[in-house]
Amino acid sequence: MPELSASSALSSSLPPLETMSSGNGRQNASARANVPQESFSLPNLGLVLLAGGTGRRLGGASKPDLTLSGNRLVDLVLARCAETFPDSPVVVVAPESLDLPAGTLQTLESPPFGGPAAGVDTGWKFLLERFPALSLVGVLPVDAPRAPFALAALLAAASPLSSASGAMAATGEQLHPTLTLARIKALTAEYAGSDVRDMSLRKYWRPLDLPTYQVPEFFTEDIDTPQDLARQREVD
């Protein structure tokens, strides 16, 4: 398998992107009906799940602990990561106060609340230290319950990437920096000893060659407000 290439099984298991693209309700309905059900063996891929933040627009609520259909967001996203990428290690970037399933890898930037770029940087370095054979990292947010499916769609759309440093998800003109794939060697070359505290995630990705690829909007919908949460509870 090429270093940054999804398997043919991954590409063929997803419906064509034109049937899953953002736009109208019928297209999103198509995406709902075509959520990937298969799993993909990508042992060179590690996943960084961003689960920190303060949830200010949710009244300070802990986003990972929000529930959909009786399941906490963090448990739901972790389960979907395990189902979709069973051979890929996942690290949750979150405070120690977050209760996680037994055996879940966890880390946090030091000092805490350094921003999402610091979380990503801490996450991939944590994984590489423990899994030195990794060549690719996927970043996804805990507040998008179908983020693992978005990452799978991004892999399918971006494969093969040849000399690019990775890929970033997009829906129409909207970029999704928290749904990104990056080569470990590109990250190491740029950030091996850098201080990225309080850096925006867009700025963090800027030095890397990250072409964008369209993924289904339904897969990227996140929860920032009480209204978002109510809507997700209707559809998920």
Side-chain angles (χ1 to χ4, degrees):
M1 182 186 299
E3 183 182 6
L4 190 52
S5 174
S7 67
S8 58
L10 173 57
S11 299
S12 63
S13 70
L14 294 167
L17 285 181
E18 59 266 25
T19 69
M20 304 200 302
S21 61
S22 61
N24 59 43
R26 285 179 298 175
Q27 289 172 320
N28 275 345
S30 176
R32 291 184 182 91
N34 288 287
V35 168
Q37 298 297 319
E38 298 181 44
S39 60
F40 313 109
S41 179
L42 295 168
N44 65 324
L45 171 69
L47 302 176
V48 175
L49 179 57
L50 300 175
T54 58
R56 286 190 298 269
R57 296 170 67 188
L58 284 160
S62 168
K63 283 188 178 183
D65 290 312
L66 298 175
T67 59
L68 293 179
S69 301
N71 298 303
R72 295 187 310 156
L73 273 181
V74 66
D75 296 327
L76 182 61
V77 175
L78 281 172
R80 287 174 172 174
C81 285
E83 292 166 1
T84 309
F85 304 106
D87 297 318
S88 298
V90 184
V91 61
V92 179
V93 181
E96 291 184 0
S97 58
L98 178 63
D99 185 30
L100 292 172
T104 303
L105 298 176
Q106 184 175 9
T107 189
L108 186 66
E109 70 273 12
S110 180
F113 302 112
V120 168
D121 197 70
T122 299
W124 72 259
K125 288 173 180 174
F126 176 96
L127 286 176
L128 186 60
E129 186 176 301
R130 288 155 180 79
F131 306 94
L134 293 180
S135 60
L136 181 65
V137 64
V139 175
L140 63 166
V142 77
D143 63 350
R146 291 169 294 279
F149 306 147
L151 207 60
L154 179 61
L155 273 164
S159 178
L161 278 183
S162 62
S163 62
S165 300
M168 184 181 295
T171 50
E173 298 297 316
Q174 177 69 42
L175 301 182
H176 297 279
T178 56
L179 283 167
T180 297
L181 298 162
R183 294 184 192 273
I184 294 289
K185 64 181 180 181
L187 287 166
T188 300
E190 189 66 36
Y191 292 116
S194 300
D195 181 6
V196 300
R197 183 172 177 79
D198 297 325
M199 182 185 292
S200 74
L201 199 47
R202 287 178 183 267
K203 184 176 180 180
Y204 185 81
W205 294 133
R206 195 171 298 153
L208 278 63
D209 175 22
L210 297 174
T212 60
Y213 295 86
Q214 294 293 312
V215 302
E217 184 177 17
F218 180 62
F219 291 172
T220 69
E221 291 175 351
D222 59 5
I223 299 172
D224 283 327
T225 67
Q227 292 76 20
D228 293 337
L229 180 59
R231 184 167 59 252
Q232 290 293 335
R233 284 174 172 166
E234 291 179 358
V235 300
D236 199 273

mmCIF file of all heavy atoms in Angstrom, residues 64-115:
data_model
loop_
_atom_site.group_PDB
_atom_site.id
_atom_site.type_symbol
_atom_site.label_atom_id
_atom_site.label_comp_id
_atom_site.label_asym_id
_atom_site.label_seq_id
_atom_site.Cartn_x
_atom_site.Cartn_y
_atom_site.Cartn_z
ATOM 1 N N PRO A 64 -17.256 16.431 25.199
ATOM 2 C CA PRO A 64 -17.151 14.968 25.140
ATOM 3 C C PRO A 64 -18.226 14.253 25.941
ATOM 4 O O PRO A 64 -18.568 13.101 25.634
ATOM 5 C CB PRO A 64 -15.757 14.685 25.715
ATOM 6 C CG PRO A 64 -15.015 15.957 25.573
ATOM 7 C CD PRO A 64 -16.020 17.045 25.710
ATOM 8 N N ASP A 65 -18.771 14.912 26.970
ATOM 9 C CA ASP A 65 -19.761 14.270 27.836
ATOM 10 C C ASP A 65 -21.203 14.496 27.380
ATOM 11 O O ASP A 65 -22.131 13.957 27.997
ATOM 12 C CB ASP A 65 -19.599 14.775 29.269
ATOM 13 C CG ASP A 65 -18.321 14.262 29.923
ATOM 14 O OD1 ASP A 65 -18.066 13.045 29.830
ATOM 15 O OD2 ASP A 65 -17.578 15.073 30.508
ATOM 16 N N LEU A 66 -21.407 15.288 26.339
ATOM 17 C CA LEU A 66 -22.748 15.441 25.783
ATOM 18 C C LEU A 66 -23.233 14.093 25.265
ATOM 19 O O LEU A 66 -22.437 13.255 24.836
ATOM 20 C CB LEU A 66 -22.753 16.465 24.641
ATOM 21 C CG LEU A 66 -22.353 17.902 25.013
ATOM 22 C CD1 LEU A 66 -22.279 18.764 23.762
ATOM 23 C CD2 LEU A 66 -23.328 18.488 26.018
ATOM 24 N N THR A 67 -24.538 13.876 25.298
ATOM 25 C CA THR A 67 -25.060 12.566 24.912
ATOM 26 C C THR A 67 -25.936 12.630 23.663
ATOM 27 O O THR A 67 -26.688 13.582 23.456
ATOM 28 C CB THR A 67 -25.882 11.941 26.053
ATOM 29 O OG1 THR A 67 -26.971 12.814 26.386
ATOM 30 C CG2 THR A 67 -25.004 11.718 27.273
ATOM 31 N N LEU A 68 -25.811 11.603 22.842
ATOM 32 C CA LEU A 68 -26.676 11.354 21.699
ATOM 33 C C LEU A 68 -27.182 9.928 21.816
ATOM 34 O O LEU A 68 -26.377 8.995 21.927
ATOM 35 C CB LEU A 68 -25.927 11.515 20.370
ATOM 36 C CG LEU A 68 -25.441 12.902 19.973
ATOM 37 C CD1 LEU A 68 -24.708 12.827 18.634
ATOM 38 C CD2 LEU A 68 -26.596 13.881 19.884
ATOM 39 N N SER A 69 -28.476 9.742 21.817
ATOM 40 C CA SER A 69 -29.087 8.412 21.938
ATOM 41 C C SER A 69 -28.527 7.651 23.136
ATOM 42 O O SER A 69 -28.300 6.436 23.078
ATOM 43 C CB SER A 69 -28.866 7.607 20.649
ATOM 44 O OG SER A 69 -29.426 8.267 19.542
ATOM 45 N N GLY A 70 -28.283 8.379 24.220
ATOM 46 C CA GLY A 70 -27.820 7.741 25.441
ATOM 47 C C GLY A 70 -26.326 7.486 25.494
ATOM 48 O O GLY A 70 -25.835 6.940 26.488
ATOM 49 N N ASN A 71 -25.585 7.862 24.461
ATOM 50 C CA ASN A 71 -24.143 7.653 24.426
ATOM 51 C C ASN A 71 -23.412 8.985 24.495
ATOM 52 O O ASN A 71 -23.793 9.940 23.819
ATOM 53 C CB ASN A 71 -23.730 6.939 23.135
ATOM 54 C CG ASN A 71 -24.342 5.569 23.011
ATOM 55 O OD1 ASN A 71 -24.160 4.719 23.872
ATOM 56 N ND2 ASN A 71 -25.087 5.347 21.926
ATOM 57 N N ARG A 72 -22.353 9.039 25.292
ATOM 58 C CA ARG A 72 -21.539 10.240 25.301
ATOM 59 C C ARG A 72 -20.847 10.408 23.946
ATOM 60 O O ARG A 72 -20.484 9.421 23.287
ATOM 61 C CB ARG A 72 -20.485 10.166 26.403
ATOM 62 C CG ARG A 72 -21.017 10.148 27.819
ATOM 63 C CD ARG A 72 -19.863 10.240 28.817
ATOM 64 N NE ARG A 72 -18.824 9.258 28.505
ATOM 65 C CZ ARG A 72 -17.546 9.378 28.856
ATOM 66 N NH1 ARG A 72 -17.134 10.432 29.531
ATOM 67 N NH2 ARG A 72 -16.682 8.440 28.555
ATOM 68 N N LEU A 73 -20.640 11.665 23.564
ATOM 69 C CA LEU A 73 -19.982 11.926 22.282
ATOM 70 C C LEU A 73 -18.631 11.220 22.203
ATOM 71 O O LEU A 73 -18.299 10.619 21.174
ATOM 72 C CB LEU A 73 -19.785 13.427 22.083
ATOM 73 C CG LEU A 73 -20.920 14.223 21.444
ATOM 74 C CD1 LEU A 73 -20.512 15.688 21.315
ATOM 75 C CD2 LEU A 73 -21.280 13.654 20.088
ATOM 76 N N VAL A 74 -17.823 11.306 23.247
ATOM 77 C CA VAL A 74 -16.496 10.716 23.180
ATOM 78 C C VAL A 74 -16.573 9.209 23.002
ATOM 79 O O VAL A 74 -15.792 8.619 22.239
ATOM 80 C CB VAL A 74 -15.660 11.093 24.422
ATOM 81 C CG1 VAL A 74 -16.217 10.488 25.702
ATOM 82 C CG2 VAL A 74 -14.194 10.721 24.207
ATOM 83 N N ASP A 75 -17.533 8.555 23.657
ATOM 84 C CA ASP A 75 -17.680 7.111 23.499
ATOM 85 C C ASP A 75 -18.162 6.765 22.092
ATOM 86 O O ASP A 75 -17.699 5.784 21.486
ATOM 87 C CB ASP A 75 -18.669 6.565 24.529
ATOM 88 C CG ASP A 75 -18.185 6.747 25.956
ATOM 89 O OD1 ASP A 75 -16.961 6.698 26.182
ATOM 90 O OD2 ASP A 75 -19.030 6.962 26.848
ATOM 91 N N LEU A 76 -19.079 7.570 21.568
ATOM 92 C CA LEU A 76 -19.616 7.333 20.237
ATOM 93 C C LEU A 76 -18.533 7.477 19.175
ATOM 94 O O LEU A 76 -18.380 6.612 18.296
ATOM 95 C CB LEU A 76 -20.763 8.314 19.961
ATOM 96 C CG LEU A 76 -21.499 8.188 18.629
ATOM 97 C CD1 LEU A 76 -22.160 6.831 18.501
ATOM 98 C CD2 LEU A 76 -22.533 9.308 18.500
ATOM 99 N N VAL A 77 -17.751 8.559 19.252
ATOM 100 C CA VAL A 77 -16.717 8.789 18.239
ATOM 101 C C VAL A 77 -15.606 7.742 18.362
ATOM 102 O O VAL A 77 -15.106 7.235 17.345
ATOM 103 C CB VAL A 77 -16.162 10.217 18.342
ATOM 104 C CG1 VAL A 77 -15.010 10.418 17.361
ATOM 105 C CG2 VAL A 77 -17.263 11.235 18.055
ATOM 106 N N LEU A 78 -15.221 7.398 19.576
ATOM 107 C CA LEU A 78 -14.206 6.356 19.749
ATOM 108 C C LEU A 78 -14.681 5.021 19.171
ATOM 109 O O LEU A 78 -13.907 4.309 18.520
ATOM 110 C CB LEU A 78 -13.865 6.183 21.230
ATOM 111 C CG LEU A 78 -12.911 7.213 21.839
ATOM 112 C CD1 LEU A 78 -12.833 7.036 23.345
ATOM 113 C CD2 LEU A 78 -11.511 7.099 21.217
ATOM 114 N N ALA A 79 -15.946 4.684 19.399
ATOM 115 C CA ALA A 79 -16.477 3.429 18.857
ATOM 116 C C ALA A 79 -16.465 3.448 17.340
ATOM 117 O O ALA A 79 -16.128 2.443 16.693
ATOM 118 C CB ALA A 79 -17.894 3.196 19.384
ATOM 119 N N ARG A 80 -16.804 4.576 16.756
ATOM 120 C CA ARG A 80 -16.813 4.673 15.297
ATOM 121 C C ARG A 80 -15.401 4.662 14.729
ATOM 122 O O ARG A 80 -15.173 4.139 13.636
ATOM 123 C CB ARG A 80 -17.587 5.914 14.869
ATOM 124 C CG ARG A 80 -19.093 5.727 15.079
ATOM 125 C CD ARG A 80 -19.906 6.981 14.805
ATOM 126 N NE ARG A 80 -21.341 6.654 14.850
ATOM 127 C CZ ARG A 80 -22.313 7.545 14.763
ATOM 128 N NH1 ARG A 80 -22.034 8.842 14.643
ATOM 129 N NH2 ARG A 80 -23.575 7.157 14.804
ATOM 130 N N CYS A 81 -14.437 5.217 15.455
ATOM 131 C CA CYS A 81 -13.038 5.108 15.047
ATOM 132 C C CYS A 81 -12.606 3.640 15.037
ATOM 133 O O CYS A 81 -11.960 3.170 14.091
ATOM 134 C CB CYS A 81 -12.138 5.899 15.982
ATOM 135 S SG CYS A 81 -12.175 7.686 15.766
ATOM 136 N N ALA A 82 -12.951 2.919 16.104
ATOM 137 C CA ALA A 82 -12.562 1.514 16.219
ATOM 138 C C ALA A 82 -13.217 0.665 15.135
ATOM 139 O O ALA A 82 -12.603 -0.271 14.609
ATOM 140 C CB ALA A 82 -12.924 0.983 17.604
ATOM 141 N N GLU A 83 -14.458 0.986 14.796
ATOM 142 C CA GLU A 83 -15.167 0.236 13.763
ATOM 143 C C GLU A 83 -14.594 0.522 12.379
ATOM 144 O O GLU A 83 -14.474 -0.373 11.539
ATOM 145 C CB GLU A 83 -16.653 0.587 13.788
ATOM 146 C CG GLU A 83 -17.383 0.105 15.027
ATOM 147 C CD GLU A 83 -18.753 0.756 15.168
ATOM 148 O OE1 GLU A 83 -19.119 1.556 14.294
ATOM 149 O OE2 GLU A 83 -19.433 0.460 16.165
ATOM 150 N N THR A 84 -14.254 1.772 12.122
ATOM 151 C CA THR A 84 -13.829 2.186 10.788
ATOM 152 C C THR A 84 -12.353 1.934 10.551
ATOM 153 O O THR A 84 -11.939 1.560 9.454
ATOM 154 C CB THR A 84 -14.144 3.683 10.580
ATOM 155 O OG1 THR A 84 -15.509 3.940 10.927
ATOM 156 C CG2 THR A 84 -13.934 4.094 9.130
ATOM 157 N N PHE A 85 -11.530 2.133 11.594
ATOM 158 C CA PHE A 85 -10.076 1.962 11.483
ATOM 159 C C PHE A 85 -9.576 1.071 12.624
ATOM 160 O O PHE A 85 -8.896 1.548 13.542
ATOM 161 C CB PHE A 85 -9.382 3.327 11.537
ATOM 162 C CG PHE A 85 -9.860 4.294 10.496
ATOM 163 C CD1 PHE A 85 -10.676 5.366 10.848
ATOM 164 C CD2 PHE A 85 -9.516 4.145 9.162
ATOM 165 C CE1 PHE A 85 -11.117 6.269 9.899
ATOM 166 C CE2 PHE A 85 -9.958 5.041 8.197
ATOM 167 C CZ PHE A 85 -10.763 6.107 8.562
ATOM 168 N N PRO A 86 -9.889 -0.217 12.595
ATOM 169 C CA PRO A 86 -9.604 -1.076 13.754
ATOM 170 C C PRO A 86 -8.125 -1.274 14.039
ATOM 171 O O PRO A 86 -7.769 -1.638 15.163
ATOM 172 C CB PRO A 86 -10.276 -2.403 13.379
ATOM 173 C CG PRO A 86 -10.335 -2.385 11.880
ATOM 174 C CD PRO A 86 -10.567 -0.957 11.511
ATOM 175 N N ASP A 87 -7.257 -1.040 13.079
ATOM 176 C CA ASP A 87 -5.824 -1.247 13.292
ATOM 177 C C ASP A 87 -5.080 0.050 13.580
ATOM 178 O O ASP A 87 -3.851 0.054 13.651
ATOM 179 C CB ASP A 87 -5.205 -1.919 12.061
ATOM 180 C CG ASP A 87 -5.782 -3.301 11.819
ATOM 181 O OD1 ASP A 87 -5.952 -4.035 12.811
ATOM 182 O OD2 ASP A 87 -6.069 -3.638 10.662
ATOM 183 N N SER A 88 -5.815 1.139 13.729
ATOM 184 C CA SER A 88 -5.190 2.447 13.918
ATOM 185 C C SER A 88 -5.284 2.881 15.377
ATOM 186 O O SER A 88 -6.384 2.990 15.925
ATOM 187 C CB SER A 88 -5.877 3.495 13.036
ATOM 188 O OG SER A 88 -5.731 3.163 11.665
ATOM 189 N N PRO A 89 -4.154 3.155 16.026
ATOM 190 C CA PRO A 89 -4.210 3.636 17.409
ATOM 191 C C PRO A 89 -4.829 5.029 17.475
ATOM 192 O O PRO A 89 -4.656 5.849 16.567
ATOM 193 C CB PRO A 89 -2.747 3.666 17.837
ATOM 194 C CG PRO A 89 -1.973 3.813 16.565
ATOM 195 C CD PRO A 89 -2.770 3.066 15.534
ATOM 196 N N VAL A 90 -5.563 5.281 18.545
ATOM 197 C CA VAL A 90 -6.233 6.567 18.760
ATOM 198 C C VAL A 90 -5.765 7.143 20.084
ATOM 199 O O VAL A 90 -5.726 6.430 21.094
ATOM 200 C CB VAL A 90 -7.768 6.405 18.798
ATOM 201 C CG1 VAL A 90 -8.443 7.769 18.934
ATOM 202 C CG2 VAL A 90 -8.276 5.669 17.572
ATOM 203 N N VAL A 91 -5.428 8.427 20.076
ATOM 204 C CA VAL A 91 -5.152 9.108 21.332
ATOM 205 C C VAL A 91 -6.154 10.239 21.487
ATOM 206 O O VAL A 91 -6.424 10.986 20.540
ATOM 207 C CB VAL A 91 -3.710 9.653 21.408
ATOM 208 C CG1 VAL A 91 -3.409 10.673 20.327
ATOM 209 C CG2 VAL A 91 -3.439 10.253 22.787
ATOM 210 N N VAL A 92 -6.743 10.336 22.667
ATOM 211 C CA VAL A 92 -7.681 11.404 22.986
ATOM 212 C C VAL A 92 -6.907 12.536 23.650
ATOM 213 O O VAL A 92 -6.223 12.320 24.657
ATOM 214 C CB VAL A 92 -8.804 10.907 23.919
ATOM 215 C CG1 VAL A 92 -9.757 12.054 24.260
ATOM 216 C CG2 VAL A 92 -9.554 9.755 23.267
ATOM 217 N N VAL A 93 -7.004 13.721 23.076
ATOM 218 C CA VAL A 93 -6.358 14.894 23.668
ATOM 219 C C VAL A 93 -7.403 15.600 24.522
ATOM 220 O O VAL A 93 -8.328 16.243 24.007
ATOM 221 C CB VAL A 93 -5.800 15.830 22.585
ATOM 222 C CG1 VAL A 93 -5.108 17.031 23.223
ATOM 223 C CG2 VAL A 93 -4.829 15.075 21.680
ATOM 224 N N ALA A 94 -7.288 15.433 25.831
ATOM 225 C CA ALA A 94 -8.315 15.927 26.749
ATOM 226 C C ALA A 94 -7.759 15.959 28.163
ATOM 227 O O ALA A 94 -6.796 15.248 28.474
ATOM 228 C CB ALA A 94 -9.552 15.026 26.702
ATOM 229 N N PRO A 95 -8.380 16.755 29.045
ATOM 230 C CA PRO A 95 -7.937 16.783 30.447
ATOM 231 C C PRO A 95 -8.109 15.421 31.112
ATOM 232 O O PRO A 95 -8.963 14.614 30.721
ATOM 233 C CB PRO A 95 -8.868 17.827 31.083
ATOM 234 C CG PRO A 95 -9.363 18.647 29.945
ATOM 235 C CD PRO A 95 -9.443 17.730 28.769
ATOM 236 N N GLU A 96 -7.306 15.165 32.143
ATOM 237 C CA GLU A 96 -7.393 13.901 32.860
ATOM 238 C C GLU A 96 -8.750 13.710 33.519
ATOM 239 O O GLU A 96 -9.142 12.579 33.826
ATOM 240 C CB GLU A 96 -6.297 13.825 33.922
ATOM 241 C CG GLU A 96 -4.893 13.695 33.355
ATOM 242 C CD GLU A 96 -3.852 13.532 34.445
ATOM 243 O OE1 GLU A 96 -4.253 13.533 35.635
ATOM 244 O OE2 GLU A 96 -2.660 13.413 34.125
ATOM 245 N N SER A 97 -9.468 14.794 33.749
ATOM 246 C CA SER A 97 -10.781 14.698 34.387
ATOM 247 C C SER A 97 -11.819 14.017 33.500
ATOM 248 O O SER A 97 -12.866 13.582 33.988
ATOM 249 C CB SER A 97 -11.285 16.090 34.780
ATOM 250 O OG SER A 97 -11.351 16.936 33.642
ATOM 251 N N LEU A 98 -11.548 13.919 32.191
ATOM 252 C CA LEU A 98 -12.492 13.255 31.293
ATOM 253 C C LEU A 98 -12.413 11.751 31.497
ATOM 254 O O LEU A 98 -11.354 11.141 31.351
ATOM 255 C CB LEU A 98 -12.175 13.606 29.841
ATOM 256 C CG LEU A 98 -13.067 12.927 28.787
ATOM 257 C CD1 LEU A 98 -14.524 13.353 28.943
ATOM 258 C CD2 LEU A 98 -12.567 13.233 27.377
ATOM 259 N N ASP A 99 -13.525 11.142 31.837
ATOM 260 C CA ASP A 99 -13.601 9.699 32.037
ATOM 261 C C ASP A 99 -13.627 9.009 30.679
ATOM 262 O O ASP A 99 -14.494 9.306 29.846
ATOM 263 C CB ASP A 99 -14.854 9.359 32.847
ATOM 264 C CG ASP A 99 -14.935 7.891 33.199
ATOM 265 O OD1 ASP A 99 -13.875 7.253 33.344
ATOM 266 O OD2 ASP A 99 -16.064 7.362 33.314
ATOM 267 N N LEU A 100 -12.691 8.085 30.457
ATOM 268 C CA LEU A 100 -12.578 7.409 29.173
ATOM 269 C C LEU A 100 -12.650 5.901 29.361
ATOM 270 O O LEU A 100 -12.344 5.386 30.449
ATOM 271 C CB LEU A 100 -11.259 7.773 28.487
ATOM 272 C CG LEU A 100 -11.121 9.220 28.017
ATOM 273 C CD1 LEU A 100 -9.700 9.490 27.547
ATOM 274 C CD2 LEU A 100 -12.121 9.521 26.903
ATOM 275 N N PRO A 101 -13.041 5.164 28.324
ATOM 276 C CA PRO A 101 -13.059 3.700 28.433
ATOM 277 C C PRO A 101 -11.680 3.159 28.805
ATOM 278 O O PRO A 101 -10.646 3.732 28.428
ATOM 279 C CB PRO A 101 -13.462 3.256 27.018
ATOM 280 C CG PRO A 101 -14.197 4.416 26.441
ATOM 281 C CD PRO A 101 -13.540 5.635 27.010
ATOM 282 N N ALA A 102 -11.669 2.067 29.523
ATOM 283 C CA ALA A 102 -10.407 1.457 29.953
ATOM 284 C C ALA A 102 -9.513 1.180 28.753
ATOM 285 O O ALA A 102 -9.973 0.695 27.718
ATOM 286 C CB ALA A 102 -10.685 0.164 30.711
ATOM 287 N N GLY A 103 -8.245 1.505 28.889
ATOM 288 C CA GLY A 103 -7.283 1.229 27.832
ATOM 289 C C GLY A 103 -7.145 2.333 26.808
ATOM 290 O O GLY A 103 -6.276 2.248 25.938
ATOM 291 N N THR A 104 -7.971 3.370 26.887
ATOM 292 C CA THR A 104 -7.898 4.462 25.923
ATOM 293 C C THR A 104 -6.647 5.295 26.158
ATOM 294 O O THR A 104 -6.353 5.677 27.296
ATOM 295 C CB THR A 104 -9.136 5.370 26.033
ATOM 296 O OG1 THR A 104 -10.312 4.588 25.837
ATOM 297 C CG2 THR A 104 -9.094 6.477 24.982
ATOM 298 N N LEU A 105 -5.916 5.573 25.099
ATOM 299 C CA LEU A 105 -4.747 6.445 25.198
ATOM 300 C C LEU A 105 -5.204 7.886 25.362
ATOM 301 O O LEU A 105 -6.147 8.328 24.707
ATOM 302 C CB LEU A 105 -3.880 6.315 23.948
ATOM 303 C CG LEU A 105 -3.274 4.938 23.678
ATOM 304 C CD1 LEU A 105 -2.531 4.937 22.348
ATOM 305 C CD2 LEU A 105 -2.341 4.528 24.809
ATOM 306 N N GLN A 106 -4.525 8.624 26.219
ATOM 307 C CA GLN A 106 -4.924 9.999 26.521
ATOM 308 C C GLN A 106 -3.700 10.861 26.757
ATOM 309 O O GLN A 106 -2.716 10.425 27.357
ATOM 310 C CB GLN A 106 -5.826 10.033 27.756
ATOM 311 C CG GLN A 106 -6.385 11.397 28.102
ATOM 312 C CD GLN A 106 -7.367 11.338 29.269
ATOM 313 O OE1 GLN A 106 -7.503 10.310 29.920
ATOM 314 N NE2 GLN A 106 -8.049 12.430 29.531
ATOM 315 N N THR A 107 -3.740 12.088 26.283
ATOM 316 C CA THR A 107 -2.674 13.045 26.542
ATOM 317 C C THR A 107 -3.272 14.438 26.532
ATOM 318 O O THR A 107 -4.454 14.620 26.226
ATOM 319 C CB THR A 107 -1.547 12.918 25.498
ATOM 320 O OG1 THR A 107 -0.434 13.719 25.900
ATOM 321 C CG2 THR A 107 -2.004 13.379 24.118
ATOM 322 N N LEU A 108 -2.457 15.426 26.875
ATOM 323 C CA LEU A 108 -2.896 16.821 26.878
ATOM 324 C C LEU A 108 -1.677 17.704 26.771
ATOM 325 O O LEU A 108 -0.620 17.393 27.344
ATOM 326 C CB LEU A 108 -3.668 17.150 28.155
ATOM 327 C CG LEU A 108 -4.311 18.552 28.228
ATOM 328 C CD1 LEU A 108 -5.418 18.707 27.184
ATOM 329 C CD2 LEU A 108 -4.856 18.835 29.614
ATOM 330 N N GLU A 109 -1.819 18.803 26.026
ATOM 331 C CA GLU A 109 -0.708 19.752 25.928
ATOM 332 C C GLU A 109 -0.385 20.318 27.310
ATOM 333 O O GLU A 109 -1.251 20.388 28.178
ATOM 334 C CB GLU A 109 -1.054 20.888 24.960
ATOM 335 C CG GLU A 109 -2.119 21.859 25.436
ATOM 336 C CD GLU A 109 -3.547 21.426 25.123
ATOM 337 O OE1 GLU A 109 -3.749 20.255 24.726
ATOM 338 O OE2 GLU A 109 -4.453 22.258 25.279
ATOM 339 N N SER A 110 0.853 20.694 27.501
ATOM 340 C CA SER A 110 1.294 21.232 28.794
ATOM 341 C C SER A 110 1.991 22.574 28.586
ATOM 342 O O SER A 110 2.954 22.664 27.818
ATOM 343 C CB SER A 110 2.259 20.251 29.465
ATOM 344 O OG SER A 110 2.692 20.739 30.707
ATOM 345 N N PRO A 111 1.486 23.628 29.282
ATOM 346 C CA PRO A 111 0.305 23.638 30.147
ATOM 347 C C PRO A 111 -0.979 23.499 29.326
ATOM 348 O O PRO A 111 -0.952 23.701 28.114
ATOM 349 C CB PRO A 111 0.388 25.006 30.830
ATOM 350 C CG PRO A 111 1.163 25.856 29.895
ATOM 351 C CD PRO A 111 2.148 24.951 29.234
ATOM 352 N N PRO A 112 -2.085 23.144 29.978
ATOM 353 C CA PRO A 112 -3.342 22.907 29.254
ATOM 354 C C PRO A 112 -3.926 24.180 28.665
ATOM 355 O O PRO A 112 -3.467 25.280 28.937
ATOM 356 C CB PRO A 112 -4.261 22.316 30.322
ATOM 357 C CG PRO A 112 -3.696 22.793 31.611
ATOM 358 C CD PRO A 112 -2.216 22.905 31.419
ATOM 359 N N PHE A 113 -4.956 23.981 27.847
ATOM 360 C CA PHE A 113 -5.678 25.073 27.178
ATOM 361 C C PHE A 113 -4.741 25.881 26.281
ATOM 362 O O PHE A 113 -4.793 27.105 26.242
ATOM 363 C CB PHE A 113 -6.379 25.982 28.197
ATOM 364 C CG PHE A 113 -7.353 25.242 29.068
ATOM 365 C CD1 PHE A 113 -7.098 25.082 30.427
ATOM 366 C CD2 PHE A 113 -8.494 24.680 28.535
ATOM 367 C CE1 PHE A 113 -7.983 24.388 31.235
ATOM 368 C CE2 PHE A 113 -9.383 23.971 29.335
ATOM 369 C CZ PHE A 113 -9.133 23.825 30.675
ATOM 370 N N GLY A 114 -3.901 25.159 25.544
ATOM 371 C CA GLY A 114 -2.979 25.802 24.618
ATOM 372 C C GLY A 114 -3.533 25.964 23.222
ATOM 373 O O GLY A 114 -2.843 26.454 22.334
ATOM 374 N N GLY A 115 -4.784 25.531 23.022
ATOM 375 C CA GLY A 115 -5.400 25.669 21.711
ATOM 376 C C GLY A 115 -5.331 24.386 20.905
ATOM 377 O O GLY A 115 -4.578 23.458 21.227
#
